[in-house]
């Protein structure tokens, strides 16, 4: 990964990160098939991770506290199963106004402020993820597609 990618994820806003990805896609003349998927997928993930970063409440898919948003953490959450779990974690946390399902300190979790799930929720619903029942699975083809999208993003960073 390029050092610029670490700096970008560490402190930039969502739009700056997305513009950087879009510029890289265009400069590499990436296929429209991938270009049409990379930015919306990245926006869906970042719509939750950036607010968590800004609130100093980042955690990995195992619920362990993480000090900064890095490309590696982004890719951990880009796994489609993990992303679905993140959506339900934030949804449940929004309902009780406490960050749930993490190993963060209780005092930190109590300072949780609701995160808007519209972008992530719309994205997941568009990709056949049931947003009412966490136990229901989604088509394996959607998982495989998102592995491909993640690989394209890795090549950009």
């Amino acid at each position: 990964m390029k050092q610029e990618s670490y700096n970008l994820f560490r402190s930039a806003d969502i739009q700056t990160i997305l513009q950087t990805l879009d510029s890289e896609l265009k400069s590499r003349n990436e296929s429209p098939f991938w270009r049409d998927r990379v930015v919306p997928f990245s926006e869906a993930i970042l719509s939750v991770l950036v607010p968590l970063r800004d609130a100093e409440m980042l955690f990995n898919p195992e619920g362990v506290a993480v000090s900064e948003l890095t490309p590696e953490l982004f890719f951990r959450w880009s796994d489609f199963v993990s992303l679905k779990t993140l959506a339900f974690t934030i949804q449940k946390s929004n309902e009780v106004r406490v960050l749930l399902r993490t190993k963060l300190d209780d005092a930190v979790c109590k300072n949780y402020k609701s995160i808007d799930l519209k972008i992530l929720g719309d994205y997941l619903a568009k990709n056949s993820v049931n947003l009412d029942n966490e136990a229901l699975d989604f088509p394996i083809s959607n998982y495989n597609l998102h592995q491909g999208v993640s690989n394209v993003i890795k090549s950009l960073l």
Side-chain angles (χ1 to χ4, degrees):
M1 304 272 163
K2 298 181 257 181
Q3 186 58 43
E4 299 88 38
S5 299
Y6 287 93
N7 294 337
L8 194 64
F9 279 83
R10 188 178 300 121
S11 59
D13 63 24
I14 294 170
Q15 289 310 312
T16 301
I17 297 169
L18 296 176
Q19 288 169 353
T20 301
L21 288 171
D22 191 49
S23 295
E24 284 291 319
L25 283 165
K26 288 176 182 169
S27 74
R28 294 183 187 201
N29 204 20
E30 195 64 57
S31 158
F33 177 84
W34 295 116
R35 278 201 325 251
D36 292 344
R37 286 164 178 76
V38 165
V39 172
F41 184 50
S42 299
E43 182 179 30
I45 299 166
L46 293 169
S47 71
V48 173
L49 293 184
V50 168
L52 288 170
R53 176 198 71 192
D54 294 348
E56 298 181 359
M57 295 182 161
L58 280 171
F59 56 95
N60 65 20
E62 292 78 34
V64 176
V66 177
S67 60
E68 65 183 17
L69 180 56
T70 63
E72 289 84 3
L73 182 62
F74 174 87
F75 290 119
R76 295 281 315 278
W77 285 114
S78 74
D79 174 89
F80 212 53
V81 174
S82 296
L83 188 58
K84 174 184 160 185
T85 301
L86 179 62
F88 277 95
T89 297
I90 297 303
Q91 178 185 31
K92 291 174 186 314
S93 298
N94 284 351
E95 290 169 5
V96 297
R97 297 187 177 128
V98 173
L99 185 58
L100 303 172
R101 298 175 158 187
T102 72
K103 297 175 180 136
L104 275 71
D105 183 77
D106 286 343
V108 171
C109 293
K110 288 179 183 174
N111 289 325
Y112 176 78
K113 303 278 189 261
S114 290
I115 294 174
D116 185 353
L117 283 173
K118 176 150 181 48
I119 294 170
L120 179 55
D122 288 350
Y123 186 86
L124 292 173
K126 182 179 167 186
N127 285 278
S128 305
V129 174
N130 185 304
L131 298 175
D132 295 319
N133 185 343
E134 188 172 3
L136 293 179
D137 213 349
F138 49 82
I140 190 70
S141 59
N142 288 359
Y143 181 86
N144 293 336
L145 171 68
H146 287 88
Q147 288 299 106
V149 174
S150 291
N151 288 336
V152 171
I153 297 169
K154 283 178 188 171
S155 75
L156 301 173
L157 298 174

